[in-house]
Amino acid sequence: MQKIIPYGKQSITEDDINDVIETLKSDYLTQGPRIAEFEERFADYVQSDYAVAVSNGTAALHLCALALGVKEGDKVITTPITFAASANCVRYCGGEVVFADIDPDTYLLDIKAVRKLLESAPKGTYKGVIPVDFAGRAVDMEAFRELANEYDLWIIEDSCHAPGGFFNDSKGEKQYCGNGNFADLSIFSFHPVKHIASGEGGMITTNNKVLYEKLMQLRTHGIIKDNDLYVNSIELAGGENDYPGWYMEMQDLGFNYRITDFQAALGASQLKRADEGLKKRKEIARVYTEALKDKDYIKSCSGNINGHAYHLFILEVENRLGLYNFLGKNNIFAQIHYIPCHLMPYYQNLGWKEGDMPNAENYYKHCISLPVFPVLTEEEQLYVIQKINSFYGE
Ligand SMILES: *Cc1c(COP(=O)(O)O)cnc(C)c1O
């Protein structure tokens, strides 16, 4: 009996386990030294100036929206082909989500569609844009920065699928997803299906010091502990010549979105293998591409793209439902990414409907994500390919 092959899964090594155990035996369960270490290493990995670790990717998005000041009625543009959290963070702050369609070739938010929206409204109508490095393919953030500057928008890059992914800018330089050169803020998730697993976990990266400090504050209730920044007087604080040792101030309405020290230890340990894992993902993508690209039942196959981080390997096929069910019967659990966000009943209740995003909806009719993860064996991958071919009568 073939063992179950999911579309994605984590791998935990002895080193990971030992690092977590060591942290559990230390003085800190949360807010300890492993968090800062994870942040520093992660910033290094994506080449950003700052990183803020948080409890999950959704919390990261929420904090970004808060730090950028999203408020009631603010209009923000994003893609319908993403996990709902990319859009929901705007709603958490009372803002309005405006979807723009995808480019049918890249599956990424179509910059031409975004430009069209911006041109059709008075300047200042839109506050920000949230492009997603969907499937691991890097958005051309340089182009988005140019557009954002023209219309005075901020950018949150949802890089959950793309640690280690990059695009080449107009000067031919590698620009890593989340490096902060173009986006104001980028976010990552360490959910077990993502490249780096910490159980639950997330990260925000940025090159903006003001936003960085704001995020650090919002992550822990909006509280600061810094004598130079207090609003209340020393007397009101209960001190005489200086603020007393216990004193702190809650200056903003923040949240408890902290990650624990042992999760950070797991994340930091996993990060050491990130390059190795990425290489494996690219190799798996190469093998799928070679095996499937010329088959007439495959409409499209996202193989061998420079800088792609291959969180997902996506095919567009005829009879997607049939293939999905057939693979499932053979213990291969492919997945569909994503049900277009604007068709979720919650967003339909806000006025979105079928037909609004034709490229996304057409993509959704045919897409299927095949198993890609670093511990997928060669044998397992060949079995997946063989089952796909046999479904289509080969
Ligand atoms: C996983 C994911 C998120 C949310 O991350 P969590 O850690 O699960 O909260 C957001 N956006 C995208 C694109 C994701 O894939």
Side-chain angles (χ1 to χ4, degrees), residues 251-297:
Q251 296 188 343
D252 248 314
L253 188 61
F255 292 81
N256 177 357
Y257 280 163
R258 296 186 301 254
I259 193 171
T260 64
D261 232 39
F262 52 96
Q263 287 171 313
L266 179 54
S269 177
Q270 293 245 318
L271 184 56
K272 291 184 194 156
R273 295 199 309 283
D275 280 333
E276 200 182 306
L278 187 57
K279 209 168 131 201
K280 192 74 205 295
R281 286 174 185 275
K282 287 182 183 183
E283 175 58 18
I284 291 166
R286 192 191 62 75
V287 171
Y288 277 136
T289 306
E290 285 309 308
L292 298 168
K293 68 177 187 311
D294 295 326
K295 306 288 185 190
D296 53 11
Y297 40 84

mmCIF file of all heavy atoms in Angstrom, residues 251-297:
data_model
loop_
_atom_site.group_PDB
_atom_site.id
_atom_site.type_symbol
_atom_site.label_atom_id
_atom_site.label_comp_id
_atom_site.label_asym_id
_atom_site.label_seq_id
_atom_site.Cartn_x
_atom_site.Cartn_y
_atom_site.Cartn_z
ATOM 1 N N GLN A 251 0.893 52.843 24.933
ATOM 2 C CA GLN A 251 0.636 54.081 24.189
ATOM 3 C C GLN A 251 -0.276 53.867 22.989
ATOM 4 O O GLN A 251 -0.735 54.810 22.376
ATOM 5 C CB GLN A 251 1.968 54.701 23.741
ATOM 6 C CG GLN A 251 2.839 55.131 24.915
ATOM 7 C CD GLN A 251 4.061 55.919 24.479
ATOM 8 O OE1 GLN A 251 4.430 55.895 23.317
ATOM 9 N NE2 GLN A 251 4.682 56.593 25.433
ATOM 10 N N ASP A 252 -0.469 52.623 22.623
ATOM 11 C CA ASP A 252 -1.281 52.289 21.459
ATOM 12 C C ASP A 252 -2.061 51.018 21.773
ATOM 13 O O ASP A 252 -1.665 50.267 22.657
ATOM 14 C CB ASP A 252 -0.360 51.998 20.265
ATOM 15 C CG ASP A 252 -0.482 53.066 19.205
ATOM 16 O OD1 ASP A 252 -1.622 53.423 18.882
ATOM 17 O OD2 ASP A 252 0.572 53.530 18.717
ATOM 18 N N LEU A 253 -3.123 50.781 21.004
ATOM 19 C CA LEU A 253 -3.872 49.542 21.209
ATOM 20 C C LEU A 253 -3.203 48.422 20.412
ATOM 21 O O LEU A 253 -3.379 48.318 19.204
ATOM 22 C CB LEU A 253 -5.321 49.731 20.759
ATOM 23 C CG LEU A 253 -6.257 48.592 21.101
ATOM 24 C CD1 LEU A 253 -6.354 48.368 22.603
ATOM 25 C CD2 LEU A 253 -7.642 48.857 20.512
ATOM 26 N N GLY A 254 -2.397 47.616 21.115
ATOM 27 C CA GLY A 254 -1.708 46.518 20.440
ATOM 28 C C GLY A 254 -2.339 45.181 20.790
ATOM 29 O O GLY A 254 -3.467 45.113 21.277
ATOM 30 N N PHE A 255 -1.601 44.116 20.534
ATOM 31 C CA PHE A 255 -2.103 42.756 20.739
ATOM 32 C C PHE A 255 -1.015 41.917 21.395
ATOM 33 O O PHE A 255 0.122 42.364 21.517
ATOM 34 C CB PHE A 255 -2.482 42.128 19.390
ATOM 35 C CG PHE A 255 -3.674 42.796 18.769
ATOM 36 C CD1 PHE A 255 -3.533 43.986 18.056
ATOM 37 C CD2 PHE A 255 -4.937 42.250 18.914
ATOM 38 C CE1 PHE A 255 -4.636 44.615 17.501
ATOM 39 C CE2 PHE A 255 -6.051 42.877 18.358
ATOM 40 C CZ PHE A 255 -5.899 44.054 17.649
ATOM 41 N N ASN A 256 -1.375 40.710 21.813
ATOM 42 C CA ASN A 256 -0.325 39.760 22.163
ATOM 43 C C ASN A 256 -0.142 38.839 20.967
ATOM 44 O O ASN A 256 -0.861 37.852 20.806
ATOM 45 C CB ASN A 256 -0.692 38.959 23.415
ATOM 46 C CG ASN A 256 0.376 37.917 23.717
ATOM 47 O OD1 ASN A 256 1.339 37.767 22.962
ATOM 48 N ND2 ASN A 256 0.226 37.192 24.794
ATOM 49 N N TYR A 257 0.811 39.192 20.108
ATOM 50 C CA TYR A 257 1.121 38.401 18.917
ATOM 51 C C TYR A 257 2.547 37.871 19.004
ATOM 52 O O TYR A 257 3.236 37.737 18.011
ATOM 53 C CB TYR A 257 0.945 39.254 17.660
ATOM 54 C CG TYR A 257 -0.490 39.414 17.202
ATOM 55 C CD1 TYR A 257 -0.832 40.415 16.311
ATOM 56 C CD2 TYR A 257 -1.493 38.547 17.630
ATOM 57 C CE1 TYR A 257 -2.139 40.566 15.866
ATOM 58 C CE2 TYR A 257 -2.803 38.697 17.187
ATOM 59 C CZ TYR A 257 -3.120 39.702 16.301
ATOM 60 O OH TYR A 257 -4.409 39.851 15.850
ATOM 61 N N ARG A 258 3.003 37.596 20.242
ATOM 62 C CA ARG A 258 4.371 37.124 20.401
ATOM 63 C C ARG A 258 4.489 35.652 20.008
ATOM 64 O O ARG A 258 3.557 34.879 20.160
ATOM 65 C CB ARG A 258 4.805 37.306 21.857
ATOM 66 C CG ARG A 258 4.850 38.755 22.303
ATOM 67 C CD ARG A 258 5.416 38.880 23.697
ATOM 68 N NE ARG A 258 4.643 38.137 24.668
ATOM 69 C CZ ARG A 258 3.814 38.698 25.560
ATOM 70 N NH1 ARG A 258 3.633 40.002 25.582
ATOM 71 N NH2 ARG A 258 3.152 37.947 26.417
ATOM 72 N N ILE A 259 5.664 35.286 19.546
ATOM 73 C CA ILE A 259 6.004 33.884 19.313
ATOM 74 C C ILE A 259 6.685 33.391 20.594
ATOM 75 O O ILE A 259 7.186 34.195 21.373
ATOM 76 C CB ILE A 259 6.927 33.761 18.069
ATOM 77 C CG1 ILE A 259 7.045 32.322 17.585
ATOM 78 C CG2 ILE A 259 8.313 34.362 18.357
ATOM 79 C CD1 ILE A 259 7.757 32.192 16.229
ATOM 80 N N THR A 260 6.695 32.079 20.820
ATOM 81 C CA THR A 260 7.390 31.578 22.015
ATOM 82 C C THR A 260 8.858 31.320 21.692
ATOM 83 O O THR A 260 9.233 31.180 20.518
ATOM 84 C CB THR A 260 6.765 30.256 22.512
ATOM 85 O OG1 THR A 260 6.961 29.269 21.498
ATOM 86 C CG2 THR A 260 5.284 30.407 22.794
ATOM 87 N N ASP A 261 9.661 31.227 22.745
ATOM 88 C CA ASP A 261 11.085 30.992 22.544
ATOM 89 C C ASP A 261 11.368 29.633 21.907
ATOM 90 O O ASP A 261 12.269 29.505 21.083
ATOM 91 C CB ASP A 261 11.833 31.110 23.885
ATOM 92 C CG ASP A 261 12.993 32.070 23.773
ATOM 93 O OD1 ASP A 261 12.832 33.105 23.094
ATOM 94 O OD2 ASP A 261 14.073 31.788 24.331
ATOM 95 N N PHE A 262 10.587 28.617 22.290
ATOM 96 C CA PHE A 262 10.876 27.289 21.719
ATOM 97 C C PHE A 262 10.421 27.184 20.263
ATOM 98 O O PHE A 262 11.023 26.450 19.481
ATOM 99 C CB PHE A 262 10.334 26.142 22.585
ATOM 100 C CG PHE A 262 8.884 26.245 22.959
ATOM 101 C CD1 PHE A 262 7.920 25.586 22.209
ATOM 102 C CD2 PHE A 262 8.480 26.964 24.073
ATOM 103 C CE1 PHE A 262 6.583 25.654 22.554
ATOM 104 C CE2 PHE A 262 7.141 27.045 24.429
ATOM 105 C CZ PHE A 262 6.190 26.397 23.667
ATOM 106 N N GLN A 263 9.400 27.955 19.877
ATOM 107 C CA GLN A 263 9.042 28.000 18.451
ATOM 108 C C GLN A 263 10.133 28.708 17.653
ATOM 109 O O GLN A 263 10.493 28.284 16.549
ATOM 110 C CB GLN A 263 7.712 28.734 18.249
ATOM 111 C CG GLN A 263 6.502 27.941 18.697
ATOM 112 C CD GLN A 263 5.251 28.812 18.686
ATOM 113 O OE1 GLN A 263 5.247 29.935 19.186
ATOM 114 N NE2 GLN A 263 4.191 28.300 18.107
ATOM 115 N N ALA A 264 10.649 29.789 18.233
ATOM 116 C CA ALA A 264 11.725 30.529 17.561
ATOM 117 C C ALA A 264 12.962 29.641 17.411
ATOM 118 O O ALA A 264 13.657 29.690 16.394
ATOM 119 C CB ALA A 264 12.058 31.801 18.327
ATOM 120 N N ALA A 265 13.211 28.797 18.428
ATOM 121 C CA ALA A 265 14.357 27.878 18.352
ATOM 122 C C ALA A 265 14.170 26.903 17.196
ATOM 123 O O ALA A 265 15.101 26.641 16.422
ATOM 124 C CB ALA A 265 14.503 27.116 19.670
ATOM 125 N N LEU A 266 12.952 26.387 17.050
ATOM 126 C CA LEU A 266 12.666 25.462 15.955
ATOM 127 C C LEU A 266 12.816 26.176 14.607
ATOM 128 O O LEU A 266 13.436 25.646 13.677
ATOM 129 C CB LEU A 266 11.245 24.889 16.118
ATOM 130 C CG LEU A 266 10.774 23.906 15.047
ATOM 131 C CD1 LEU A 266 11.748 22.744 14.881
ATOM 132 C CD2 LEU A 266 9.377 23.377 15.386
ATOM 133 N N GLY A 267 12.267 27.385 14.529
ATOM 134 C CA GLY A 267 12.373 28.157 13.285
ATOM 135 C C GLY A 267 13.819 28.433 12.917
ATOM 136 O O GLY A 267 14.223 28.265 11.760
ATOM 137 N N ALA A 268 14.609 28.848 13.909
ATOM 138 C CA ALA A 268 16.017 29.177 13.648
ATOM 139 C C ALA A 268 16.793 27.939 13.209
ATOM 140 O O ALA A 268 17.642 27.998 12.323
ATOM 141 C CB ALA A 268 16.655 29.802 14.887
ATOM 142 N N SER A 269 16.469 26.806 13.817
ATOM 143 C CA SER A 269 17.139 25.560 13.455
ATOM 144 C C SER A 269 16.756 25.151 12.023
ATOM 145 O O SER A 269 17.610 24.741 11.225
ATOM 146 C CB SER A 269 16.761 24.468 14.462
ATOM 147 O OG SER A 269 17.346 23.248 14.094
ATOM 148 N N GLN A 270 15.479 25.296 11.697
ATOM 149 C CA GLN A 270 15.018 24.970 10.341
ATOM 150 C C GLN A 270 15.632 25.901 9.282
ATOM 151 O O GLN A 270 15.917 25.488 8.171
ATOM 152 C CB GLN A 270 13.490 25.104 10.284
ATOM 153 C CG GLN A 270 12.762 24.081 11.109
ATOM 154 C CD GLN A 270 11.929 23.151 10.259
ATOM 155 O OE1 GLN A 270 11.276 23.574 9.317
ATOM 156 N NE2 GLN A 270 11.974 21.875 10.576
ATOM 157 N N LEU A 271 15.804 27.144 9.701
ATOM 158 C CA LEU A 271 16.350 28.145 8.774
ATOM 159 C C LEU A 271 17.739 27.743 8.271
ATOM 160 O O LEU A 271 18.110 28.030 7.145
ATOM 161 C CB LEU A 271 16.390 29.506 9.477
ATOM 162 C CG LEU A 271 16.845 30.720 8.671
ATOM 163 C CD1 LEU A 271 16.001 30.906 7.415
ATOM 164 C CD2 LEU A 271 16.766 31.980 9.540
ATOM 165 N N LYS A 272 18.492 27.036 9.126
ATOM 166 C CA LYS A 272 19.826 26.571 8.716
ATOM 167 C C LYS A 272 19.752 25.659 7.489
ATOM 168 O O LYS A 272 20.718 25.542 6.749
ATOM 169 C CB LYS A 272 20.500 25.786 9.858
ATOM 170 C CG LYS A 272 20.894 26.629 11.047
ATOM 171 C CD LYS A 272 21.635 25.751 12.065
ATOM 172 C CE LYS A 272 21.743 26.457 13.402
ATOM 173 N NZ LYS A 272 21.905 25.506 14.514
ATOM 174 N N ARG A 273 18.624 24.989 7.324
ATOM 175 C CA ARG A 273 18.480 24.059 6.184
ATOM 176 C C ARG A 273 17.678 24.654 5.035
ATOM 177 O O ARG A 273 17.322 23.952 4.085
ATOM 178 C CB ARG A 273 17.785 22.764 6.636
ATOM 179 C CG ARG A 273 18.542 21.935 7.627
ATOM 180 C CD ARG A 273 18.033 20.500 7.680
ATOM 181 N NE ARG A 273 16.583 20.416 7.854
ATOM 182 C CZ ARG A 273 15.936 20.604 9.004
ATOM 183 N NH1 ARG A 273 16.623 20.865 10.103
ATOM 184 N NH2 ARG A 273 14.628 20.510 9.075
ATOM 185 N N ALA A 274 17.375 25.950 5.130
ATOM 186 C CA ALA A 274 16.477 26.561 4.140
ATOM 187 C C ALA A 274 17.030 26.460 2.719
ATOM 188 O O ALA A 274 16.300 26.141 1.788
ATOM 189 C CB ALA A 274 16.192 28.010 4.513
ATOM 190 N N ASP A 275 18.311 26.712 2.560
ATOM 191 C CA ASP A 275 18.885 26.667 1.213
ATOM 192 C C ASP A 275 18.837 25.263 0.622
ATOM 193 O O ASP A 275 18.535 25.083 -0.554
ATOM 194 C CB ASP A 275 20.340 27.169 1.230
ATOM 195 C CG ASP A 275 20.390 28.693 1.248
ATOM 196 O OD1 ASP A 275 19.429 29.314 0.735
ATOM 197 O OD2 ASP A 275 21.364 29.250 1.779
ATOM 198 N N GLU A 276 19.130 24.302 1.477
ATOM 199 C CA GLU A 276 19.094 22.892 1.077
ATOM 200 C C GLU A 276 17.671 22.517 0.637
ATOM 201 O O GLU A 276 17.472 21.884 -0.404
ATOM 202 C CB GLU A 276 19.483 22.094 2.320
ATOM 203 C CG GLU A 276 19.973 20.710 2.159
ATOM 204 C CD GLU A 276 20.233 20.154 3.566
ATOM 205 O OE1 GLU A 276 20.986 20.796 4.351
ATOM 206 O OE2 GLU A 276 19.654 19.109 3.881
ATOM 207 N N GLY A 277 16.679 22.932 1.429
ATOM 208 C CA GLY A 277 15.276 22.638 1.126
ATOM 209 C C GLY A 277 14.832 23.290 -0.173
ATOM 210 O O GLY A 277 14.131 22.697 -0.986
ATOM 211 N N LEU A 278 15.283 24.519 -0.359
ATOM 212 C CA LEU A 278 14.922 25.261 -1.569
ATOM 213 C C LEU A 278 15.497 24.570 -2.806
ATOM 214 O O LEU A 278 14.830 24.441 -3.840
ATOM 215 C CB LEU A 278 15.458 26.692 -1.445
ATOM 216 C CG LEU A 278 15.059 27.692 -2.519
ATOM 217 C CD1 LEU A 278 13.548 27.810 -2.615
ATOM 218 C CD2 LEU A 278 15.670 29.064 -2.212
ATOM 219 N N LYS A 279 16.726 24.103 -2.673
ATOM 220 C CA LYS A 279 17.375 23.407 -3.780
ATOM 221 C C LYS A 279 16.579 22.147 -4.148
ATOM 222 O O LYS A 279 16.371 21.833 -5.318
ATOM 223 C CB LYS A 279 18.805 23.027 -3.356
ATOM 224 C CG LYS A 279 19.775 22.960 -4.497
ATOM 225 C CD LYS A 279 21.204 22.868 -4.000
ATOM 226 C CE LYS A 279 21.894 21.738 -4.723
ATOM 227 N NZ LYS A 279 23.076 21.218 -4.028
ATOM 228 N N LYS A 280 16.136 21.453 -3.126
ATOM 229 C CA LYS A 280 15.349 20.234 -3.340
ATOM 230 C C LYS A 280 14.017 20.553 -4.029
ATOM 231 O O LYS A 280 13.590 19.855 -4.945
ATOM 232 C CB LYS A 280 15.127 19.534 -1.992
ATOM 233 C CG LYS A 280 14.582 18.136 -2.107
ATOM 234 C CD LYS A 280 15.638 17.134 -2.579
ATOM 235 C CE LYS A 280 15.018 15.919 -3.277
ATOM 236 N NZ LYS A 280 14.187 15.075 -2.418
ATOM 237 N N ARG A 281 13.379 21.635 -3.583
ATOM 238 C CA ARG A 281 12.116 22.048 -4.205
ATOM 239 C C ARG A 281 12.314 22.343 -5.695
ATOM 240 O O ARG A 281 11.506 21.970 -6.543
ATOM 241 C CB ARG A 281 11.553 23.292 -3.505
ATOM 242 C CG ARG A 281 10.954 23.011 -2.151
ATOM 243 C CD ARG A 281 10.553 24.286 -1.432
ATOM 244 N NE ARG A 281 10.090 24.002 -0.082
ATOM 245 C CZ ARG A 281 8.847 23.646 0.239
ATOM 246 N NH1 ARG A 281 7.922 23.574 -0.697
ATOM 247 N NH2 ARG A 281 8.522 23.379 1.483
ATOM 248 N N LYS A 282 13.417 23.040 -6.002
ATOM 249 C CA LYS A 282 13.692 23.375 -7.402
ATOM 250 C C LYS A 282 13.949 22.121 -8.229
ATOM 251 O O LYS A 282 13.536 22.034 -9.383
ATOM 252 C CB LYS A 282 14.896 24.324 -7.486
ATOM 253 C CG LYS A 282 14.556 25.724 -7.018
ATOM 254 C CD LYS A 282 15.732 26.668 -7.153
ATOM 255 C CE LYS A 282 15.350 28.027 -6.605
ATOM 256 N NZ LYS A 282 16.393 29.030 -6.755
ATOM 257 N N GLU A 283 14.610 21.158 -7.620
ATOM 258 C CA GLU A 283 14.898 19.905 -8.310
ATOM 259 C C GLU A 283 13.594 19.143 -8.586
ATOM 260 O O GLU A 283 13.394 18.605 -9.684
ATOM 261 C CB GLU A 283 15.877 19.074 -7.459
ATOM 262 C CG GLU A 283 16.196 17.682 -7.984
ATOM 263 C CD GLU A 283 16.782 17.660 -9.393
ATOM 264 O OE1 GLU A 283 17.264 18.713 -9.865
ATOM 265 O OE2 GLU A 283 16.734 16.593 -10.030
ATOM 266 N N ILE A 284 12.714 19.123 -7.597
ATOM 267 C CA ILE A 284 11.420 18.452 -7.770
ATOM 268 C C ILE A 284 10.635 19.136 -8.896
ATOM 269 O O ILE A 284 10.051 18.472 -9.763
ATOM 270 C CB ILE A 284 10.629 18.458 -6.436
ATOM 271 C CG1 ILE A 284 11.320 17.529 -5.419
ATOM 272 C CG2 ILE A 284 9.180 18.046 -6.660
ATOM 273 C CD1 ILE A 284 10.848 17.692 -3.993
ATOM 274 N N ALA A 285 10.659 20.465 -8.911
ATOM 275 C CA ALA A 285 9.951 21.222 -9.955
ATOM 276 C C ALA A 285 10.535 20.896 -11.325
ATOM 277 O O ALA A 285 9.813 20.750 -12.309
ATOM 278 C CB ALA A 285 10.046 22.718 -9.670
ATOM 279 N N ARG A 286 11.856 20.755 -11.380
ATOM 280 C CA ARG A 286 12.512 20.449 -12.655
ATOM 281 C C ARG A 286 12.057 19.078 -13.174
ATOM 282 O O ARG A 286 11.737 18.923 -14.355
ATOM 283 C CB ARG A 286 14.040 20.471 -12.477
ATOM 284 C CG ARG A 286 14.825 20.454 -13.790
ATOM 285 C CD ARG A 286 16.312 20.200 -13.569
ATOM 286 N NE ARG A 286 16.574 18.895 -12.964
ATOM 287 C CZ ARG A 286 16.505 17.735 -13.592
ATOM 288 N NH1 ARG A 286 16.199 17.686 -14.887
ATOM 289 N NH2 ARG A 286 16.735 16.593 -12.951
ATOM 290 N N VAL A 287 11.988 18.114 -12.271
ATOM 291 C CA VAL A 287 11.594 16.757 -12.670
ATOM 292 C C VAL A 287 10.135 16.724 -13.157
ATOM 293 O O VAL A 287 9.827 16.135 -14.192
ATOM 294 C CB VAL A 287 11.818 15.763 -11.504
ATOM 295 C CG1 VAL A 287 11.203 14.394 -11.817
ATOM 296 C CG2 VAL A 287 13.312 15.620 -11.206
ATOM 297 N N TYR A 288 9.245 17.397 -12.419
ATOM 298 C CA TYR A 288 7.844 17.480 -12.876
ATOM 299 C C TYR A 288 7.765 18.122 -14.264
ATOM 300 O O TYR A 288 7.032 17.667 -15.141
ATOM 301 C CB TYR A 288 7.012 18.347 -11.921
ATOM 302 C CG TYR A 288 6.480 17.643 -10.683
ATOM 303 C CD1 TYR A 288 6.554 18.272 -9.439
ATOM 304 C CD2 TYR A 288 5.858 16.398 -10.755
ATOM 305 C CE1 TYR A 288 6.041 17.671 -8.291
ATOM 306 C CE2 TYR A 288 5.343 15.789 -9.613
ATOM 307 C CZ TYR A 288 5.439 16.429 -8.387
ATOM 308 O OH TYR A 288 4.932 15.837 -7.270
ATOM 309 N N THR A 289 8.513 19.204 -14.419
ATOM 310 C CA THR A 289 8.446 19.953 -15.675
ATOM 311 C C THR A 289 8.898 19.088 -16.842
ATOM 312 O O THR A 289 8.218 19.004 -17.870
ATOM 313 C CB THR A 289 9.324 21.216 -15.584
ATOM 314 O OG1 THR A 289 8.929 21.958 -14.441
ATOM 315 C CG2 THR A 289 9.163 22.095 -16.818
ATOM 316 N N GLU A 290 10.044 18.432 -16.678
ATOM 317 C CA GLU A 290 10.564 17.555 -17.733
ATOM 318 C C GLU A 290 9.535 16.486 -18.093
ATOM 319 O O GLU A 290 9.317 16.183 -19.257
ATOM 320 C CB GLU A 290 11.864 16.878 -17.268
ATOM 321 C CG GLU A 290 13.068 17.799 -17.276
ATOM 322 C CD GLU A 290 13.228 18.521 -18.605
ATOM 323 O OE1 GLU A 290 13.233 17.831 -19.648
ATOM 324 O OE2 GLU A 290 13.321 19.764 -18.596
ATOM 325 N N ALA A 291 8.905 15.921 -17.063
ATOM 326 C CA ALA A 291 8.011 14.782 -17.298
ATOM 327 C C ALA A 291 6.672 15.203 -17.901
ATOM 328 O O ALA A 291 6.040 14.424 -18.611
ATOM 329 C CB ALA A 291 7.769 14.049 -15.980
ATOM 330 N N LEU A 292 6.234 16.427 -17.614
ATOM 331 C CA LEU A 292 4.838 16.765 -17.930
ATOM 332 C C LEU A 292 4.643 17.875 -18.953
ATOM 333 O O LEU A 292 3.560 18.032 -19.495
ATOM 334 C CB LEU A 292 4.107 17.160 -16.623
ATOM 335 C CG LEU A 292 4.028 16.066 -15.563
ATOM 336 C CD1 LEU A 292 3.559 16.641 -14.233
ATOM 337 C CD2 LEU A 292 3.081 14.945 -15.997
ATOM 338 N N LYS A 293 5.701 18.639 -19.234
ATOM 339 C CA LYS A 293 5.468 19.892 -19.973
ATOM 340 C C LYS A 293 4.890 19.695 -21.379
ATOM 341 O O LYS A 293 4.134 20.549 -21.837
ATOM 342 C CB LYS A 293 6.736 20.751 -20.020
ATOM 343 C CG LYS A 293 7.890 20.188 -20.849
ATOM 344 C CD LYS A 293 9.030 21.204 -20.845
ATOM 345 C CE LYS A 293 10.191 20.933 -21.734
ATOM 346 N NZ LYS A 293 10.845 19.658 -21.759
ATOM 347 N N ASP A 294 5.206 18.584 -22.024
ATOM 348 C CA ASP A 294 4.733 18.426 -23.405
ATOM 349 C C ASP A 294 3.464 17.587 -23.549
ATOM 350 O O ASP A 294 3.000 17.332 -24.648
ATOM 351 C CB ASP A 294 5.847 17.812 -24.262
ATOM 352 C CG ASP A 294 7.038 18.758 -24.366
ATOM 353 O OD1 ASP A 294 6.794 19.986 -24.383
ATOM 354 O OD2 ASP A 294 8.184 18.282 -24.403
ATOM 355 N N LYS A 295 2.896 17.180 -22.432
ATOM 356 C CA LYS A 295 1.685 16.355 -22.507
ATOM 357 C C LYS A 295 0.506 17.221 -22.942
ATOM 358 O O LYS A 295 0.344 18.344 -22.451
ATOM 359 C CB LYS A 295 1.374 15.753 -21.129
ATOM 360 C CG LYS A 295 2.531 14.987 -20.526
ATOM 361 C CD LYS A 295 2.761 13.671 -21.244
ATOM 362 C CE LYS A 295 3.851 12.864 -20.536
ATOM 363 N NZ LYS A 295 4.260 11.700 -21.351
ATOM 364 N N ASP A 296 -0.319 16.680 -23.826
ATOM 365 C CA ASP A 296 -1.396 17.550 -24.332
ATOM 366 C C ASP A 296 -2.519 17.747 -23.322
ATOM 367 O O ASP A 296 -3.342 18.637 -23.478
ATOM 368 C CB ASP A 296 -1.918 17.067 -25.698
ATOM 369 C CG ASP A 296 -2.323 15.615 -25.665
ATOM 370 O OD1 ASP A 296 -2.396 15.045 -24.547
ATOM 371 O OD2 ASP A 296 -2.573 15.030 -26.745
ATOM 372 N N TYR A 297 -2.549 16.923 -22.252
ATOM 373 C CA TYR A 297 -3.587 17.125 -21.224
ATOM 374 C C TYR A 297 -3.148 18.127 -20.159
ATOM 375 O O TYR A 297 -3.875 18.442 -19.235
ATOM 376 C CB TYR A 297 -3.991 15.800 -20.577
ATOM 377 C CG TYR A 297 -2.853 14.854 -20.303
ATOM 378 C CD1 TYR A 297 -2.095 14.959 -19.149
ATOM 379 C CD2 TYR A 297 -2.543 13.843 -21.225
ATOM 380 C CE1 TYR A 297 -1.048 14.070 -18.900
ATOM 381 C CE2 TYR A 297 -1.499 12.964 -20.989
ATOM 382 C CZ TYR A 297 -0.761 13.077 -19.828
ATOM 383 O OH TYR A 297 0.280 12.222 -19.597
#
